[in-house]
Amino acid sequence: MSEDVFIIGAGLSKFGRQNGISGRQMAVTAIHAALADAGVTWPDVQVAFGGSDGSGLADTLVAELGFTGIPFTNVKNGCATGGSALVSAVNAVRAGAADIALAVGFDKHPRGAFDPLPAEWGLPEGYGEAGLMVTTQFFGSKISRYMNMYGISRDTLAQVAAKAYRNGSLNPNAWRREPMPAEVIRDADMVNDPLTRYMFCSPGEGGAAIVVASESAVRRLGGRPVAIKAISHRTRQFGSFEVFAPAVQGTGEPVSVSTDAARAAFEQAGIEPADVDVAQLQDTESGAEIMHMAECGFCEHGEQEQWIAEGRTEIDGTLPVNTDGGCIANGEPIGASGLRQVHEIVTQLRGEAGDRQVDGSPKVGFTHVYGAPGISACTVLAV
């Protein structure tokens, strides 16, 4: 790679239920915010990538943005849609196909759980008949196994969700903005043992966009660039324990696609997990954040109980995690979540996070997204 790639603009729509506003409108709002943040206009963008799970085709946003004729590729990769769009935008700049590229993700999901069809995932109908297409069942079974293996308590599950709601209360863009005591979360209605209703994120609504640029474009434009030191994207290997495949295959401990993606990102960036100042980890439910702490290399398996008890993942801790409230407080608009994570790290590294700002002028940030049926994308960002 001849030049580094930089984030020069980041934008969001509001997250949460937004009656009368379509997913497409949220995407356009996020794109305009990202362009304004970058100090450029839509005609300056030379290539774009984006997608949603169920709110339409991203390339058709040109009807609202402007018919400039640029290549605009649709991306659909489950919860990793936004992260995958960003990989594509970065690679376009790295390849010299563009100096300025855009990634966008958006979605507007109805209330209730996701209802995927087995055939669309290459699975027999029996998966649906047995209830294995219900994602909450997978999350419950995976974290239950993990808790038994590594001594993670139900109180710790509740503490992670309580942190999410506290951080969300400091984020004017979040959906869930009311703090909730850990005891209320722990004792709430059970969804899939050991996970209660307030430990889960909800399918939500929102849009997020990121503008990336080459080093030469940054020299021309100035602004407040954040360097993309690494970006990785991996699919599952044999023996992984994933959504829609809730079984341990092969022998030994299951491999982790999140570990594969995180390791690739750290190797690319030439740093260690201990060098990260602030992180965003996929928290579809509170157990996921706990497992991803170790899977991404920030601690050993089983150390999370002590880490969380000591407040190490709080905003004022040694490794703040999900400072914007994560998916639990913001909801999960599938296409947007990965780019929301990047937006938050950019905001933190610029020192612009307001009441949720991490002290000490953080210099290195990390994002991790995980999606069905076993796909992960990670970034390492730095100033």
Side-chain angles (χ1 to χ4, degrees):
M1 156 175 76
S2 59
E3 289 189 333
D4 286 335
V5 180
F6 297 85
I7 294 171
I8 60 170
L12 295 179
S13 74
K14 292 286 288 184
F15 275 57
R17 298 293 173 209
Q18 301 171 72
N19 294 331
I21 301 176
S22 69
R24 291 172 56 87
Q25 288 173 298
M26 295 175 206
V28 171
T29 295
I31 290 170
H32 283 315
L35 294 172
D37 185 46
V40 299
T41 61
W42 175 245
D44 295 314
V45 177
Q46 297 164 317
V47 64
F49 301 85
S52 74
D53 187 69
S55 292
L57 300 174
D59 70 298
T60 65
L61 295 172
V62 298
E64 284 82 22
L65 298 168
F67 297 111
T68 59
I70 65 167
F72 199 141
T73 302
N74 292 311
V75 178
K76 188 170 183 179
N77 244 359
C79 297
T81 291
S84 301
L86 185 59
V87 169
S88 301
V90 169
N91 284 341
V93 174
R94 284 176 171 173
D99 279 325
I100 299 176
L102 176 117
V104 61
F106 59 100
D107 258 308
K108 184 182 179 76
H109 301 299
R111 296 177 184 274
F114 295 118
D115 55 351
L117 300 175
E120 294 183 358
W121 300 84
L123 296 169
E125 290 301 319
Y127 266 73
E129 293 165 359
L132 297 178
M133 297 302 289
V134 180
T135 56
T136 59
Q137 291 223 54
F138 162 75
F139 294 125
S141 64
K142 187 171 184 180
I143 188 59
S144 181
R145 177 180 185 272
Y146 195 88
M147 290 166 70
N148 288 333
M149 289 181 67
Y150 296 110
I152 306 298
S153 67
R154 291 174 184 260
D155 283 340
T156 295
L157 288 177
Q159 289 292 347
V160 170
K163 172 178 68 69
Y165 294 121
R166 280 197 303 277
N167 292 354
S169 73
L170 304 175
N171 178 7
N173 211 65
W175 180 10
R176 311 292 190 193
R177 300 205 59 215
E178 293 294 328
M180 189 179 300
E183 295 77 14
V184 172
I185 297 168
R186 182 196 62 205
D187 298 336
D189 300 338
M190 190 66 69
V191 177
N192 285 98
D193 193 20
L195 299 167
T196 69
R197 63 183 300 183
Y198 298 124
M199 294 176 185
F200 284 93
C201 75
S202 298
E205 306 177 15
I210 299 292
V211 180
V212 298
S214 65
E215 189 173 354
S216 57
V218 168
R219 286 196 298 267
R220 183 176 75 249
L221 294 167
R224 298 162 299 156
V226 173
I228 300 174
K229 306 305 290 185
I231 188 163
S232 68
H233 176 208
R234 294 291 186 273
T235 55
R236 67 195 186 279
Q237 299 185 55
F238 177 77
S240 62
F241 182 29
E242 310 293 356
V243 183
F244 308 150
V248 178
Q249 298 175 313
T251 59
E253 185 61 17
V255 297
S256 163
V257 67
S258 295
T259 297
D260 294 342
R263 183 181 293 125
F266 287 123
E267 288 177 358
Q268 207 180 117
I271 67 168
E272 300 293 331
D275 297 319
V276 172
D277 299 315
V278 58
Q280 289 274 350
L281 303 178
Q282 180 82 8
D283 62 330
T284 316
E285 33 70 40
S286 57
E289 179 175 321
I290 290 169
M291 290 183 287
H292 292 146
M293 286 169 60
E295 289 179 353
C296 291
F298 293 107
C299 66
E300 295 297 323
H301 292 285
E303 288 184 346
Q304 300 98 318
E305 187 84 359
Q306 181 179 352
W307 272 53
I308 291 164
E310 294 175 353
R312 294 194 202 181
T313 59
E314 301 284 346
I315 289 174
D316 61 354
T318 54
L319 179 69
V321 174
N322 295 334
T323 49
D324 64 348
C327 288
I328 292 174
N330 287 278
E332 173 76 297
I334 284 177
S337 286
L339 297 181
R340 172 190 54 76
Q341 292 182 330
V342 174
H343 179 281
E344 176 65 10
I345 294 299
V346 168
T347 303
Q348 289 286 346
L349 297 184
R350 287 173 169 176
E352 298 172 353
D355 291 340
R356 66 184 190 281
Q357 178 64 49
V358 172
D359 290 337
S361 300
K363 302 298 183 188
V364 179
F366 175 85
T367 71
H368 156 270
V369 65
Y370 167 85
I375 190 166
S376 183
C378 297
T379 70
V380 175
L381 308 179
V383 292

